[in-house]
């Protein structure tokens, strides 16, 4: 079960997520222009077809209702050199607050997941997402379960460092992230990255999944 990101499509501040075996929900990221604009990260493969499956909006699943959270302002994005391709990820907590609210954003169009602590991006990874016949749902979700050694009860596949997002199994988990691969609706990230995310994520943390929604520095994740 797998998925990919940030192929040079700028500051892709994502929204939503997917998991253990299928599902999702809805509440999209709203971009607010800010000054000065952040330089766009050049990516020679920005127009390449990286994943054969096209992200399709899925019907909203039925996770637990989420109270409207306070807006989080983006204060930092991590610099990334060269194309951000399948299998690549970055993690850097230096200069970020040691504690604070955590938000995970995922943009299926950019194929990138970002982790923000108190508005500071501390991690980013190219992801895999759901195939056309099992799309990843869009929306605002929250982490409801953590299991470092999870195995899918539908497919029998290992899902290391699983963070469950919906009652029907959509989650973020470690995967072999390769070009052309897809998942059964979950968000797959490199396993080493999944381990780091698992360590900082808490039950109730927000995960926002969108398809082409992006923010600039100073923009608010609402």
């Amino acid at each position: 079960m797998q998925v990919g990101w940030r192929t040079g499509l700028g500051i892709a501040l994502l929204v939503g997520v997917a998991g253990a075996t299928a599902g999702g929900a809805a509440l999209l990221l709203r971009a607010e222009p800010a000054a000065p604009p952040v330089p766009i990260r050049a990516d020679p493969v920005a127009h390449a077809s990286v994943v054969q499956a096209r992200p399709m909006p899925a019907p909203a699943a039925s996770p637990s209702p989420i109270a409207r959270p306070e807006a989080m302002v983006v204060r930092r994005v991590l610099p990334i050199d060269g194309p951000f391709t399948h299998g690549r990820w970055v993690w850097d907590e230096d200069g970020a607050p040691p504690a604070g609210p955590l938000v995970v954003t995922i943009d299926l169009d950019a194929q990138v997941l970002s982790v923000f602590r108190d508005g500071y991006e501390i991690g980013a990874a190219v992801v895999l997402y759901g195939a056309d016949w099992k799309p990843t749902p869009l929306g605002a979700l929250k982490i409801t379960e953590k299991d470092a050694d999870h195995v899918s009860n539908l497919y029998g596949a290992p899902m290391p460092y699983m963070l469950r997002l919906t009652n029907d199994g959509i989650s973020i988990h470690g995967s072999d992230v390769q070009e052309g691969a897809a998942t059964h609706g979950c968000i797959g990230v490199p396993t080493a990255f999944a381990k780091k995310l698992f360590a900082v994520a808490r039950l109730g943390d927000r995960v926002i999944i969108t398809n082409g929604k992006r923010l600039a520095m100073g923009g608010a994740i609402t």
Side-chain angles (χ1 to χ4, degrees):
M1 307 181 74
Q2 316 178 337
V3 178
W5 133 316
R6 202 176 207 123
T7 54
L9 296 176
I11 311 300
L13 305 180
L14 320 169
V15 315
V17 60
T21 50
L27 190 164
L28 300 181
L29 179 66
R30 186 176 63 213
E32 297 181 5
V38 179
I40 294 177
R41 295 168 181 158
D43 186 346
V45 298
H47 301 292
S49 177
V50 263
V51 175
Q52 295 171 353
R54 297 294 302 165
M56 299 292 292
S62 53
S64 303
I66 306 173
R68 183 174 180 80
E70 275 185 35
M72 176 184 289
V73 175
V74 177
R75 297 179 172 87
R76 181 187 79 176
V77 292
L78 293 172
I80 296 177
D81 298 324
F84 206 42
T85 53
H86 290 82
R88 286 199 64 191
W89 59 275
V90 294
W91 192 275
D92 186 359
E93 299 184 49
D94 290 347
L102 193 82
V103 174
V104 176
T105 65
I106 302 164
D107 186 354
L108 301 184
D109 182 59
Q111 302 178 63
V112 175
L113 177 153
S114 287
V115 184
F116 293 90
R117 179 188 291 144
D118 200 21
Y120 290 76
E121 188 179 39
I122 60 174
V126 177
V127 304
L128 298 178
Y129 55 83
D132 290 349
W133 50 273
K134 195 69 172 177
T136 296
L138 305 180
L141 307 169
K142 64 181 179 180
I143 297 171
T144 60
E145 180 186 355
K146 297 176 62 176
D147 185 354
D149 301 306
H150 189 74
V151 175
S152 170
N153 52 15
L154 285 182
Y155 306 103
M159 300 168 64
Y161 305 107
M162 183 274 289
L163 302 174
R164 182 183 297 275
L165 302 175
T166 70
N167 295 333
D168 56 356
I170 297 299
S171 68
I172 302 171
H173 60 79
S175 298
D176 181 13
V177 179
Q178 297 185 13
E179 182 176 352
T183 72
H184 293 97
C186 290
I187 294 294
V189 297
T191 300
F193 179 89
K195 182 177 182 179
K196 289 184 174 292
L197 176 56
F198 188 91
V200 300
R202 298 168 297 181
L203 298 181
D205 283 344
R206 288 185 292 151
V207 177
I208 304 171
I209 304 174
T210 57
N211 185 11
K213 301 289 184 179
R214 299 182 178 87
L215 292 173
M217 186 76 75
I221 305 173
T222 57

